[in-house]
Amino acid sequence: MRIVKMQPEHVAAVAEMERQCFSDPWSEKSVASELDNPLSLWLIAEADGVVAGYVGSQTVLDSADMMNLAVSQDFRRQGIGEQLVNSLTEALAEKGVKTLLLEVRISNEPAKQLYQKLGFEIVGKRPRYYEKPREDALILRKELYA
């Protein structure tokens, strides 16, 4: 397994995984636009040339938002999500980012357990944040140190 920055050849696989994992997925065009966004950092977990998972973020000043994290059904329960988040936090800290924020569905227990394990703390709630189905989000934060 290797973690690399997202490249154009990864976009179709990431968009397909979005469709498989989320009820309101990003389009291929939206994923591709992140390649040209200077505020974005997307990382890919590759296993023998196959996209096993990805994580995406956007940074403004010294704070970043983790927007997307997904692992393919075939690669779950292997620590890939943890590797992706750790790689992202390291890369962001090296760029001077001090805080990483994210939203997670209040019902997504596996994700909440992962984020707690990785040192994220609940700092708030966004009522009715998600659609399909409508659901509240928890806001989580992690302080980064270079």
Side-chain angles (χ1 to χ4, degrees), residues 33 41 43 53 65 75 93 108 130 142:
S33 72
L41 174 61
L43 301 176
D65 289 313
F75 290 94
N108 190 341
Y130 290 104
K142 180 175 181 166

Side-chain angles (χ1 to χ4, degrees), residues 65-78:
D65 289 313
M66 191 170 89
M67 299 159 344
N68 304 58
L69 171 65
V71 175
S72 171
Q73 191 77 27
D74 296 337
F75 290 94
R76 290 188 183 159
R77 311 297 302 163
Q78 297 178 33

Side-chain angles (χ1 to χ4, degrees), residues 30-132:
S30 293
V31 172
S33 72
E34 293 299 296
L35 291 169
D36 298 321
N37 185 340
L39 304 177
S40 293
L41 174 61
W42 285 54
L43 301 176
I44 303 295
E46 281 186 330
D48 297 321
V50 174
V51 175
Y54 62 91
V55 63
S57 69
Q58 287 189 354
T59 300
V60 177
L61 300 175
D62 65 355
S63 181
D65 289 313
M66 191 170 89
M67 299 159 344
N68 304 58
L69 171 65
V71 175
S72 171
Q73 191 77 27
D74 296 337
F75 290 94
R76 290 188 183 159
R77 311 297 302 163
Q78 297 178 33
I80 295 169
E82 184 173 344
Q83 289 177 46
L84 283 163
V85 175
N86 284 335
S87 294
L88 180 68
T89 57
E90 289 170 18
L92 292 171
E94 288 173 8
K95 292 178 159 194
V97 173
K98 294 183 172 48
T99 305
L100 180 59
L101 296 161
L102 63 89
E103 288 88 14
V104 63
R105 280 185 183 272
I106 206 161
S107 66
N108 190 341
E109 290 301 325
K112 290 180 351 188
Q113 289 174 13
L114 171 65
Y115 298 137
Q116 181 180 10
K117 176 182 178 182
L118 295 175
F120 286 83
E121 296 178 351
I122 297 170
V123 295
K125 188 163 113 176
R126 295 194 197 282
R128 302 168 46 89
Y129 180 77
Y130 290 104
E131 296 183 16
K132 300 178 187 176

